[in-house]
Amino acid sequence: MSVAPPKILLALSLAAITAALGGCTTYKPAPKAFNEATIQPYTLDSGDRLRITVFDQQSLTNTYTVDQAGYIAFPLIGQVPARGRTLQQLSGQIAQKLQQGYLRDPDVTIDVDRYRSIFIMGEVGQPGQYAYVPGMTVQNAIAVAGGFSSRANQSMVDVTRKINGQVLTGRINISGPIIAGDTIYVRERLF
């Protein structure tokens, strides 16, 4: 039986390592818009619960949920599109519709009563759906989900986020901020 020369063995070993590590680079760093979404004003989407107050109008002041289609059902004016709007934009829109034959000068304020959930998958203690808290980081979210499993990659995670109607996935550091509606996937480490 003949033994291959050391140079050939070295070349084959390097080729095997390069092929194995090549699969690790399929994710590019998060795009610029992905990171900018964390510092933009909060935009509404399905699952957000809002506390809408119309000054001096107790019958209109209530809690409303953004439905699956992205609307809230508001008394007198019906379905109001909320998806993709900021709180200020939605309050202006409701005030404008209330002025059209219902109230003279409505003063509408909106606060988020409950943010839409975040989802945590992969190598964590208890994967699932969790409540979002403003200012939350990936590390905070993983702590809520029971911490890392023994096989988890504890430095980077994949986050899937909806930005301007597009669903984007990016790999970010665990100290990175998240926003409501994000899905966090903790990968298994290689070694």
Side-chain angles (χ1 to χ4, degrees):
M1 179 161 107
S2 67
V3 176
K7 287 185 180 181
I8 292 176
L9 286 177
L10 181 61
L12 289 174
S13 298
L14 286 174
I17 290 171
T18 302
L21 292 178
C24 297
T25 60
T26 56
Y27 277 89
K28 296 178 181 174
K32 187 176 181 181
F34 191 87
N35 295 322
E36 288 175 354
T38 62
I39 58 171
Q40 298 298 320
Y42 185 73
T43 56
L44 300 168
D45 208 344
S46 299
D48 286 327
R49 188 169 65 193
L50 309 173
R51 176 78 178 152
I52 302 178
T53 305
V54 182
F55 180 72
D56 210 21
Q57 298 293 321
Q58 293 295 5
S59 62
L60 298 177
T61 297
N62 207 343
T63 303
Y64 302 89
T65 302
V66 180
D67 66 16
Q68 191 66 25
Y71 292 84
I72 59 167
F74 200 83
L76 301 178
I77 58 176
Q79 297 288 91
V80 181
R83 176 176 286 140
R85 290 182 168 74
T86 64
L87 298 176
Q88 186 177 11
Q89 290 170 336
L90 183 61
S91 67
Q93 185 178 9
I94 292 171
Q96 182 183 27
K97 288 187 176 203
L98 286 172
Q99 274 184 318
Q100 297 172 356
Y102 299 106
L103 298 174
R104 187 179 315 226
D105 188 22
D107 183 9
V108 179
T109 58
I110 303 176
D111 296 308
V112 178
D113 186 56
R114 185 188 70 216
Y115 292 89
R116 58 189 176 273
S117 301
I118 57 170
F119 303 89
I120 306 169
M121 306 182 325
E123 297 296 326
V124 292
Q126 297 176 332
Q129 177 179 344
Y130 294 93
Y132 171 76
V133 178
M136 199 174 224
T137 65
V138 172
Q139 192 169 24
N140 299 141
I142 291 169
V144 170
F148 289 111
S149 74
S150 59
R151 297 182 308 265
N153 176 345
Q154 296 185 18
S155 61
M156 301 291 274
V157 298
D158 295 333
V159 175
T160 302
R161 176 176 296 160
K162 189 175 183 181
I163 303 170
N164 299 327
Q166 287 187 307
V167 178
L168 301 174
T169 299
R171 189 162 286 169
I172 64 172
N173 191 300
I174 64 165
S175 62
I178 59 172
I179 59 176
D182 279 357
T183 299
I184 300 167
Y185 183 74
V186 180
R187 294 192 166 277
E188 189 174 349
R189 65 184 167 172
L190 293 176
F191 302 100

